[in-house]
Amino acid sequence: MRPPTPHDHHFVSQVLGLAQLSREQGHHPFAAMVVSAAGEVIAQAMNDSSTDRTAHAEMNALRLASQRFSTAELADATLYSSAEPCAMCAGGAYWSGVGRVVYALSEASLLALTGNDPENPTLSLPCREVFARGWRAIEVIGPLREDEARIAHEGFWRK
């Protein structure tokens, strides 16, 4: 695994700001964006699972990106996420064709923050394990800047 790039740190900062905005707008504090190899943000989204439990930020961003770009075009793109993609979102990343995933907060750290809150029934399945079952490789970088990523979650979850 290669180390995170300056671009990775830049886009993680952006996605963490978007996660805070998601919280301020009354949603779960998660956000994601898809960025081309040229550094263009081609899709970004916040969590909207209050009305659709599958509307995780990653799935929302991947749907937007997939409407504009083919799987071949997304092969060089990166999914940036404020938290490690759950099994559903990892599957979405795989099927969209995205070639890289960079996340801030690990699933294990998220579970420590959410506890048994029924709003986040955590699947303890790291995205790397989901990707390892696929036919194509997806580069994963994370967790990256977990202390900063925790801020949007502080005091949000019932334990």
Side-chain angles (χ1 to χ4, degrees):
M1 178 178 82
R2 57 184 179 151
T5 68
H7 275 116
D8 292 335
H9 284 282
H10 170 76
F11 289 114
V12 164
S13 289
Q14 286 192 337
V15 84
L16 292 177
L18 197 57
Q20 183 63 43
L21 180 61
S22 183
R23 178 182 178 158
E24 290 166 6
Q25 292 183 358
H27 301 289
H28 291 173
F30 299 104
M33 57 180 51
V34 180
V35 178
S36 73
E40 175 193 1
V41 176
I42 57 178
Q44 66 180 22
M46 297 181 286
N47 190 287
D48 194 20
S49 63
S50 58
T51 56
D52 175 354
R53 302 305 279 169
T54 65
H56 290 189
E58 297 91 341
M59 293 298 290
N60 293 338
L62 291 164
R63 283 185 190 110
L64 291 170
S66 294
Q67 289 168 3
R68 295 180 49 210
F69 299 93
S70 70
T71 54
E73 292 170 314
L74 290 173
D76 294 326
T78 300
L79 172 67
Y80 290 93
S81 180
S82 60
E84 183 173 0
C86 71
M88 175 182 69
C89 295
Y94 180 82
W95 289 111
S96 74
V98 166
R100 292 179 77 231
V101 171
V102 178
Y103 66 87
L105 187 67
S106 72
E107 184 70 25
S109 294
L110 178 62
L111 178 59
L113 291 167
T114 63
N116 63 357
D117 189 314
E119 288 293 311
N120 193 51
T122 300
L123 284 169
S124 185
L125 181 61
C127 68
R128 285 177 174 88
E129 289 185 34
V130 175
F131 297 144
R133 304 295 179 153
W135 287 7
R136 65 178 184 83
I138 296 178
E139 180 183 10
V140 179
I141 296 175
L144 183 63
R145 297 166 58 177
E146 280 196 295
D147 289 340
E148 191 178 341
R150 284 185 182 92
I151 294 169
H153 296 271
E154 290 174 353
F156 184 86
W157 305 99
R158 294 176 286 157
K159 289 196 169 195

